Amino acid sequence: MENLKIDSNFWEIFPEATVNVLTVDGLDNHVSQKRDEEMVHVLNTASEKAQKYLTEEEFSKNEIVKIWREAFTKFKKKKGARASIEALLKRVSQGRSFQPINPLVDLYNSISLEFGVPCGGEDLDKIEGSMHLGIAKGGEAFRPLGEEKDEPALSGEVIYYDEQGAICRCLNWRDAQRTMLTETTKRAILVIEALDEAQQARAFSAIEALNKRIFEYFGVSGNIEVIKQEEK
């Protein structure tokens, strides 16, 4: 069974994209003081490594920020929506620290920082039917993390979705509460996108590093799939 299906309308916007997918089973994602202490170290180390992506004094002129802002002009989006990697790098640029969330989220955030790529994850057991990446029709149900009311997807927005609604809005901007990774997550799907050839090698290295880090931490190894547009 395919864990992620990519709709043809996504390739119409991003024909050179690759989507790196890692699926993992057998996780023990519980939170503890010892694990939090470990994750603080992992995140601090990753934050230091992310400094190499912030070479320009003006934040918006840094290469990774420019690349993803340009990508976000190609589809309908909610005002203020930014790529997840930009939000992480913004914290680094401001000298703000990262607090642990849960081990799996902390690990993928550390990889995102180290490699300068967006990374997201969902609980596979909470996804209804197949998970898709494509263009929203508009109105797909979506309740963001930390919110008490729905904020449905916009028509023309790039979203991850399933039979019940949107899973992640504006490509990789914000996850839904419904499918988020929690302490009880046993099976997960993790995704790293690259939108052109220049980003592909770094994104693939990142998904391999994430798989290795998950194995070192959880003792389980996942399955990697790289999805590209089929040649005609």
Side-chain angles (χ1 to χ4, degrees), residues 31-48:
V31 174
S32 68
Q33 182 177 345
K34 182 177 183 295
R35 283 185 158 189
D36 278 354
E37 290 171 355
E38 292 174 350
M39 287 303 109
V40 166
H41 175 71
V42 168
L43 289 165
N44 285 343
T45 300
S47 183
E48 291 172 5

Side-chain angles (χ1 to χ4, degrees), residues 2-88:
E2 292 179 298
N3 290 297
L4 176 63
K5 298 179 179 179
I6 300 183
D7 301 345
S8 60
N9 51 25
F10 173 80
W11 302 121
E12 291 171 6
I13 300 177
F14 299 113
E16 297 180 358
T18 60
V19 183
N20 301 276
V21 182
L22 172 62
T23 52
V24 190
D25 196 355
L27 296 163
D28 173 9
N29 199 37
H30 77 270
V31 174
S32 68
Q33 182 177 345
K34 182 177 183 295
R35 283 185 158 189
D36 278 354
E37 290 171 355
E38 292 174 350
M39 287 303 109
V40 166
H41 175 71
V42 168
L43 289 165
N44 285 343
T45 300
S47 183
E48 291 172 5
K49 292 180 178 180
Q51 293 285 350
K52 65 186 174 185
Y53 302 115
L54 299 172
T55 58
E56 302 295 330
E57 185 174 348
E58 187 176 339
F59 181 74
S60 62
K61 292 185 177 180
N62 286 288
E63 187 63 24
I64 289 174
V65 177
K66 289 196 297 182
I67 288 170
W68 284 99
R69 287 194 179 182
E70 171 62 22
F72 272 50
T73 66
K74 297 180 183 296
F75 56 85
K76 184 73 173 179
K77 64 182 182 297
K78 184 174 180 180
K79 184 178 180 180
R82 303 290 192 193
S84 61
I85 181 56
E86 176 174 339
L88 293 176

Side-chain angles (χ1 to χ4, degrees), residues 41 111 133 151 170:
H41 175 71
I111 291 295
L133 172 61
E151 295 182 11
C170 292

Side-chain angles (χ1 to χ4, degrees), residues 37-202:
E37 290 171 355
E38 292 174 350
M39 287 303 109
V40 166
H41 175 71
V42 168
L43 289 165
N44 285 343
T45 300
S47 183
E48 291 172 5
K49 292 180 178 180
Q51 293 285 350
K52 65 186 174 185
Y53 302 115
L54 299 172
T55 58
E56 302 295 330
E57 185 174 348
E58 187 176 339
F59 181 74
S60 62
K61 292 185 177 180
N62 286 288
E63 187 63 24
I64 289 174
V65 177
K66 289 196 297 182
I67 288 170
W68 284 99
R69 287 194 179 182
E70 171 62 22
F72 272 50
T73 66
K74 297 180 183 296
F75 56 85
K76 184 73 173 179
K77 64 182 182 297
K78 184 174 180 180
K79 184 178 180 180
R82 303 290 192 193
S84 61
I85 181 56
E86 176 174 339
L88 293 176
L89 290 177
K90 189 70 172 180
R91 291 181 69 90
V92 174
S93 73
Q94 295 171 340
R96 298 164 64 193
S97 61
F98 292 88
Q99 297 303 312
I101 298 170
N102 63 58
L104 189 54
V105 171
D106 299 333
L107 290 181
Y108 84 59
N109 278 338
S110 74
I111 291 295
S112 189
L113 286 163
E114 288 183 30
F115 288 84
V117 294
C119 184
E122 311 295 337
D123 190 320
L124 269 173
D125 290 323
K126 297 175 182 175
I127 293 171
E128 298 291 336
S130 297
M131 179 173 168
H132 289 253
L133 172 61
I135 309 304
K137 296 177 181 178
E140 287 87 348
F142 180 83
R143 181 167 297 183
L145 291 176
E147 300 295 333
E148 295 182 356
K149 62 181 181 178
D150 284 347
E151 295 182 11
L154 304 173
S155 177
E157 185 179 346
V158 177
I159 62 170
Y160 288 89
Y161 68 95
D162 65 4
E163 292 178 1
Q164 194 168 327
I167 292 171
C168 189
R169 284 187 59 186
C170 292
L171 196 59
N172 54 53
W173 167 57
R174 182 167 291 178
D175 281 327
Q177 288 188 37
R178 175 171 61 88
T179 58
M180 69 180 185
L181 300 172
T182 68
E183 287 188 71
T184 62
T185 297
K186 300 270 191 303
R187 298 196 309 138
I189 179 168
L190 302 125
V191 179
I192 297 176
E193 307 105 345
L195 299 182
D196 58 38
E197 188 174 353
Q199 301 173 55
Q200 288 173 9
R202 191 169 75 248

